[in-house]
Amino acid sequence: MIAGVIAVVLLLAVAAYACGGGTDYGAGFWDLTAGGAERGERSRRLIDHAMAPVWEVNNVWLIFVLVIMWTGFPVFFQRVFTAMWLPLALAAVGTVLRGAGFAMRKPLTRLAGRRLYGAMFAVSSLLTPFFLGAAAGGVASGRVTARATASTDAWANPTSLLFGFLAVAFTALLGAVFLAADARRFAVPDLDGHFRRRALAALAAVVVLAVITLVVTHGDAPHVWHGLTHGVGLVFVIVSALATLATAWSLRRPSGAWSRGAAVAVVASAVIAWGMAQRPYLIPVSLTVAEGAGAHTTLRWLGLVTLVAVVLVFPAVVLLYWLDTQGELEGLTDAELRPGRPNDEV
């Protein structure tokens, strides 16, 4: 019983990181595609402002995921990190380089330095979610077995590649939706339209990739495919599909109301659908939740830590997100977004 509860906590933490961290990765994705220094200057200033208050907080979810995996499901942790060490190592390097690029590009005065660190931040924002998604695809396809070794087949297979591309599409969707909302808050209609169009394009990519992934899993990950088309997994697939329609409708409305909540529901429901589809396995079909769980005492302490986090940490994080989305934190001046603003002197 307690192992199942902790497994649900792990899944919810993964969903939280997919939404919180995914929004930041998506902002980096649009930074990469913003254009040259002059053309993309205003978009990048908005991206910097949107990420600054919460980007470090989003990594809390990743740490929480790793702690639960390591202490609550040590067998699962060992198998995943043995078979997937390369994509996970690349994702870890990408996370570090991304943070360094974001922190270093702003205080530099030389254009060449800003471009170098900006490129580091943007490229890492693309590669990191791809490798994390590829690792998740390797788990979903059941390739992370007790006998699995660190080989490209574990993560460079159809399901893994599609999970990786879908992770990038999810982050692009979240990033564009939240950036459009920030542009509306600052009354910058051209940037609002700019990111709305990109959000709709990312949403279309999500739909196409989701359909392809569902078809591919039929042969490559049959247990997950069955879970996605039956029972609780199917319920969350339907919720994600309805949230997709709601996101498209919200983005087409002049006010853009509810677009952020709908986009978060798309991603969170998809992640939960994947987790529900794997039941009762951590790794289909070789490791169940009960088989991969740690000692009962450890699980009870994890449950207590989770309860403390729900009571003390979660409300604080929610408050921070709310303050940020309501514009109650550091403001952005009109001059920084005004068209034709000259570049800083080198």
Side-chain angles (χ1 to χ4, degrees):
M1 178 63 181
I2 186 65
V5 172
I6 299 302
V8 171
V9 171
L10 175 61
L11 178 61
L12 294 177
V14 172
Y17 182 64
C19 295
T23 303
D24 279 357
Y25 289 128
F29 177 90
W30 296 118
D31 187 291
L32 180 65
T33 60
E38 183 174 350
R39 178 186 171 191
E41 179 190 13
R42 294 171 63 236
S43 295
R44 291 191 174 99
R45 287 184 180 275
L46 182 64
I47 289 168
D48 284 349
H49 175 268
M51 288 183 58
V54 297
W55 72 288
E56 282 283 12
V57 175
N58 290 324
N59 289 325
V60 169
W61 301 115
L62 178 60
I63 295 170
F64 193 42
V65 168
L66 293 175
V67 168
I68 293 177
M69 283 183 64
W70 185 15
T71 57
F73 304 98
V75 177
F76 178 51
F77 183 91
Q78 183 268 333
R79 290 189 187 181
V80 169
F81 277 78
T82 297
M84 299 290 184
W85 75 267
L86 181 57
L88 291 175
L90 291 173
V93 171
T95 301
V96 173
L97 293 179
R98 181 175 177 274
F102 181 72
M104 293 297 297
R105 73 173 181 173
K106 291 186 290 184
L108 292 177
T109 56
R110 287 188 171 277
L111 180 60
R114 292 204 303 271
R115 283 178 171 172
L116 173 63
Y117 284 106
M120 182 188 300
F121 161 70
V123 173
S124 297
S125 297
L126 172 65
L127 295 179
T128 302
F130 173 80
F131 286 120
L132 289 174
V139 172
S141 63
R143 288 176 167 85
V144 185
T145 65
R147 297 181 299 276
T149 58
S151 65
T152 55
D153 180 65
W155 61 276
N157 56 76
T159 299
S160 290
L161 295 177
L162 283 168
F163 268 51
F165 290 131
L166 195 54
V168 173
F170 277 147
T171 63
L173 169 64
L174 289 170
V177 167
F178 275 74
L179 288 168
D182 271 4
R184 288 193 297 275
R185 190 170 78 237
F186 292 111
V188 189
D190 61 323
L191 285 182
D192 179 19
H194 173 88
F195 284 114
R196 281 200 202 209
R197 290 189 295 273
R198 281 150 180 76
L200 288 169
L203 189 64
V206 165
V207 172
V208 172
L209 286 168
V211 171
I212 295 174
T213 300
L214 192 60
V215 172
V216 169
T217 55
H218 182 271
D220 199 51
H223 181 84
V224 169
W225 177 84
H226 183 272
L228 291 173
T229 54
H230 297 79
V232 180
L234 177 60
V235 170
F236 280 99
V237 168
I238 294 172
V239 170
S240 186
L242 293 175
T244 299
L245 295 176
T247 303
W249 177 75
S250 299
L251 289 170
R252 300 294 296 177
R253 294 185 64 197
S255 66
W258 303 106
S259 58
R260 287 179 295 194
V264 167
V266 171
V267 177
S269 298
V271 172
I272 295 173
W274 160 50
M276 292 295 102
Q278 291 195 175
R279 295 183 309 160
Y281 296 99
L282 291 169
I283 303 173
V285 285
S286 61
L287 184 69
T288 66
V289 170
E291 291 169 346
H296 187 73
T297 302
T298 302
L299 295 176
R300 286 192 303 177
W301 277 106
L302 271 178
L304 178 61
V305 170
T306 300
L307 182 61
V308 171
V310 168
V311 174
L312 298 180
V313 179
F314 185 72
V317 173
V318 171
L319 177 61
L320 176 62
Y321 285 151
W322 184 85
L323 290 172
D324 181 46
T325 56
Q326 296 300 312
E328 298 293 332
L329 302 179
E330 180 183 359
L332 185 64
T333 65
D334 293 337
E336 290 180 297
L337 289 176
R338 189 177 299 123
R341 182 182 182 276
N343 291 329
D344 294 335
E345 300 266 348
V346 178

